[in-house]
Amino acid sequence: MGRNTEQQIDGEAFVLPAAMIAGATFCAAESEVCSRICNAATGETIGWQEHATAEMVDRAVHAAHDALIAWRHTTPAARGKLLRKIAELLEADRARLSAMQMQVSGKPPFEADLDVSDAIATFSYYAGLCEDASVFAAEPVALPDDALLAERMHEPVGVAALIVPWNFPMVTTAWKLAPALAAGCTVVIKPSELTSPTEHMLAAIVSEAGVPDGVVNVVNGGGEVGAWLTTHPLVDKISFTGSTASGRKVMQAAAHDMKRLTLELGGKSALIVREDADVVQAVSLAVGGAFANAGQMCSATARILVHDNVYRKFMAAFETAVRAVVVVPPQGAEGADAAMGPLISAAQHARVAALVEAGVEAGAQIAFTGQLDPACADGFFMAPVVIAEPAADNMLWTDEIFGPVACVKSFRSDDEAIALANDTRYGLVATVVTNDEKAARRYKVQLRAGLVWVNTPQLIFPQVCWGGFGLSGIGRELGVAGLRSYQELRHTVGMRA
Ligand code: NAD
C-alpha cells in the first residue's frame, strides 16, 4: 500500500503524519520509517504511521518550550475551562473514540467504552481542581518566629514528555495530559507505535477545545523516538508508562539533566481469597482481575491465592467461569457479547505463548483453559490459561506475563497469604476477598501495594492515586499528587508586613 499523507481515521486506510507540532502536521520523507497499524482482532492492516525524525522531535520540544511562556501564566480557572471543554468534546465523540479503541486493539465494546469514560472522568476531575482556587494558591507555613512569614507555592515544572504504552492508550494519556495541562505545563506526547490513532484523535480534540497551538504536540515512533525525547535538554519532566526494562533506560536518560520523573511500570499482583470469602464473588473478581483487557494490564491480579479450605470449590467455579468467557472479535456477529479481546500484536501473542511454554517446561501444570470462538482465527487471540500450584520460582508465578494467564496457589493462614502476596519485587495493586472486617484491615496495612481493593473489582477513580512500590515505578498519577507531579515546590520566607 502506498502512502497517503492525508489523515483519514474514519476512512478505509489512513496514514498518520509523523508529528503534530504547534497545530501543524509534519510528514516524513519517503525514505523514513513508516510502520503498520493492525486491527488486533482480524490481523488486517488498517493504517500506517510515519515515524518522527530526530529533527521533528527537536522541533516539537521547541514548540512546547515556546508555548510555555504564555501557557504557564494563564489562570488555573482558564485552564480548567479548557479541560472541561475537552471532557465535553470527548463525550460528544464517544462513539467514534470507542470504535477506534475496538478497531485497533480489538477491545470488547464495553471495555472500549470504559476507556472513553475514564478519559472523560480524568479531564473533568482536573477541571474541577483548576476551579478550586485553593489548590493553586500560595499556602502559609507556620514558623516559630511570628515576625516572619513563609509561603509554599506550586509552579509548573515546564515542558513534559508524555510517553505511553498500547494497552490503554487513551486512558494512560489522559492520566498524564490532564494534570500536566492543569499545572500549566506544555507537552510532547509519544504514543505507542501500535495504537497511535487514539492519541491523534485526542490531540485533535484538545485543539478543537481551544488549547493554544504548541501546548500539546505529538510525535510518532518507537523506543528510539521516545529516547530522543528523554535526552532532550529542554524537556523538564518525563512521565513514562511502560515496561520496567524501558523504565530503567528512561531513568538513566533522565539522570543527566535531573529531569523530574514519574514512572508507571509493570506488576505481578495478587488476589487473595480468604476462607470466609463469598466464592461466587471471588471467582467474578478473579476473572476480571486476570482476564480484563486479555490480561494486558499492569494491574492484572495474575497471582490468585486461595485458602486451602475453599480451594477445590473455588477451582471448580473458576473453571466454569473461565470456560464461559466469550472471546470473539468485537466487530463480528457476537461482538456485543464479547468479554475478552485479542492480544495487541502477533509479536505479543508469540511472546506470551513462549512464556507459557517455558513455564510448563519448567514444571507448571495447566489446570484448564478457556475457549476460542472460530471467528478468532485471524486475530491475535489467546484463550485464558489457568495454572495450578506453580513452584514459587516458576516464571509464570514470578514474571509479568501481560497476557491471559493466571496462576492459583493455596495457602493456610493470613501470615502465609501476606508473605506470598508480598514475595515480588513489584508492588502495584492487590485485591482481597473477605467478609471479615478485621482481617481486611490487616491486609490493607500489610500488603505492599500502591492500591488495595477489598471485595470490589478494579475500580479506578481520578480522585485515587495510581502507582506502585518497588519495580512498579516511582511517583503517583491521578489525585492531587498527580497534579503536584507536574509542579515544582517553591518556598518564600520574609518579614511580615
Ligand atoms: P514498553 O516499555 O515497550 O513501551 C512503552 C512506551 O515507551 C512506548 O511508547 C515505547 O515506544 C516507549 N519506549 C520504549 N523504549 C523507550 C526508551 N528507551 N525511551 C523512551 N521511550 C521508550 O512497554 P509496552 O510493551 O508498550 O507496554 C507494556 C508495559 O507497560 C507492561 O510492562 C505494563 O505493565 C506497563 N504498564 C504499566 C502501567 C502502570 O500504570 N503501571 C500501565 C500500563 C502499562
Side-chain angles (χ1 to χ4, degrees):
M1 183 181 291
R3 284 199 197 180
N4 167 9
T5 46
E6 214 170 300
Q7 186 184 336
Q8 308 176 344
I9 286 184
D10 293 323
E12 286 263 300
F14 53 82
V15 177
L16 292 178
M20 293 170 77
I21 304 171
T25 54
F26 285 75
C27 299
E30 283 288 335
S31 56
E32 299 296 344
V33 183
C34 186
S35 58
R36 223 156 64 94
I37 294 175
C38 276
N39 179 335
T42 63
E44 286 165 355
T45 300
I46 55 169
W48 297 83
Q49 163 194 258
E50 296 176 346
H51 289 214
T53 59
E55 190 273 331
M56 285 181 203
V57 170
D58 182 54
R59 197 188 275 248
V61 175
H62 273 96
H65 188 255
D66 292 348
L68 183 64
I69 299 154
W71 180 249
R72 69 183 300 153
H73 290 117
T74 52
T75 62
R79 299 197 292 270
K81 223 168 163 181
L82 290 170
L83 292 176
R84 187 79 59 212
K85 183 75 188 163
I86 294 170
E88 285 166 15
L89 291 174
L90 287 169
E91 183 62 68
D93 227 354
R94 178 185 279 276
R96 215 167 62 96
L97 289 160
S98 170
M100 180 52 81
Q101 293 289 77
M102 283 192 270
Q103 199 189 350
V104 176
S105 308
K107 294 186 187 227
F110 78 94
E111 283 186 352
D113 193 57
L114 214 58
D115 285 2
V116 186
S117 297
D118 191 318
I120 294 169
T122 304
F123 280 101
S124 302
Y125 168 71
Y126 284 104
L129 283 194
C130 286
E131 287 153 6
D132 178 353
S134 70
V135 173
F136 293 84
E139 302 151 318
V141 178
L143 296 176
D145 183 345
D146 276 350
L148 292 170
L149 173 71
E151 283 186 314
R152 180 167 47 228
M153 298 169 186
H154 303 279
E155 304 263 321
V157 168
V159 174
L162 314 181
I163 302 175
V164 295
W166 43 261
N167 56 339
F168 293 100
M170 191 175 341
V171 176
T172 31
T173 306
W175 288 12
K176 298 179 190 311
L177 182 58
L181 294 180
C185 292
T186 57
V187 309
V188 181
I189 301 170
K190 210 295 283 169
S192 162
E193 52 275 42
L194 300 175
T195 50
S196 48
T198 319
E199 271 77 19
H200 280 253
M201 290 173 83
L202 187 57
I205 284 173
V206 166
S207 174
E208 190 187 339
V211 174
D213 288 346
V215 172
V216 176
N217 308 277
V218 183
V219 290
N220 288 340
E224 186 184 34
V225 174
W228 290 332
L229 269 178
T230 59
T231 49
H232 197 292
L234 290 182
V235 168
D236 302 291
K237 150 105 194 177
I238 304 165
S239 181
F240 172 87
T241 300
S243 61
T244 297
S246 303
R248 286 194 181 100
K249 292 184 193 159
V250 170
M251 197 167 177
Q252 277 166 351
H256 186 268
D257 294 322
M258 298 294 162
K259 296 184 195 307
R260 278 43 185 154
L261 197 58
T262 302
L263 296 174
E264 296 294 346
L265 309 176
K268 187 74 184 183
S269 300
L271 178 141
I272 297 141
V273 182
R274 284 189 86 244
E275 186 179 9
D276 63 298
D278 173 341
V279 170
V280 174
Q281 182 188 36
V283 165
S284 156
L285 298 181
V287 170
F291 305 125
N293 212 36
Q296 302 167 115
M297 298 190 292
C298 49
S299 60
T301 43
R303 293 187 301 139
I304 302 169
L305 294 160
V306 183
H307 193 281
D308 210 30
N309 291 348
V310 287
Y311 184 84
R312 286 168 71 111
K313 190 174 169 194
F314 174 87
M315 283 303 259
F318 194 33
E319 179 167 358
T320 306
V322 169
R323 287 193 191 284
V325 171
V326 180
V327 189
V328 289
Q331 294 90 357
E334 289 161 60
D337 299 327
M340 196 182 103
L343 299 181
I344 192 67
S345 64
Q348 179 69 1
H349 189 281
R351 188 189 147 269
V352 174
L355 278 167
V356 172
E357 207 178 302
V360 168
E361 228 162 73
Q365 306 260 341
I366 295 180
F368 50 85
T369 66
Q371 315 186 67
L372 277 193
D373 189 275
C376 294
D378 296 328
F380 311 129
F381 289 91
M382 178 178 276
V385 177
V386 175
I387 308 286
E389 300 287 9
D393 63 351
N394 188 283
M395 64 271 275
L396 296 176
W397 180 254
T398 56
D399 294 3
E400 183 181 52
I401 307 297
F402 227 60
V405 182
C407 294
V408 189
K409 234 182 192 331
S410 58
F411 66 87
R412 288 200 166 78
S413 68
D414 288 331
D415 284 347
E416 188 188 359
I418 290 167
L420 281 167
N422 288 345
D423 185 21
T424 170
R425 297 189 68 201
Y426 295 107
L428 191 57
V429 301
T431 300
V432 184
V433 197
T434 178
N435 283 311
D436 181 329
E437 261 182 54
K438 200 168 154 219
R441 260 199 308 280
R442 179 175 174 203
Y443 277 91
K444 282 196 261 188
V445 171
Q446 295 191 0
L447 287 174
R448 198 174 159 275
L451 178 53
V452 179
W453 289 287
V454 181
N455 299 330
T456 73
Q458 297 202 355
L459 297 175
I460 293 171
F461 298 96
Q463 291 79 1
V464 176
C465 290
W466 185 265
F469 295 16
L471 294 187
S472 290
I474 291 180
R476 294 292 181 268
E477 294 198 293
L478 300 180
V480 176
L483 172 74
R484 299 291 184 228
S485 78
Y486 291 93
Q487 294 174 317
E488 287 281 8
L489 199 54
R490 191 157 63 129
H491 282 84
T492 61
V493 178
M495 297 304 291
R496 221 176 256 281

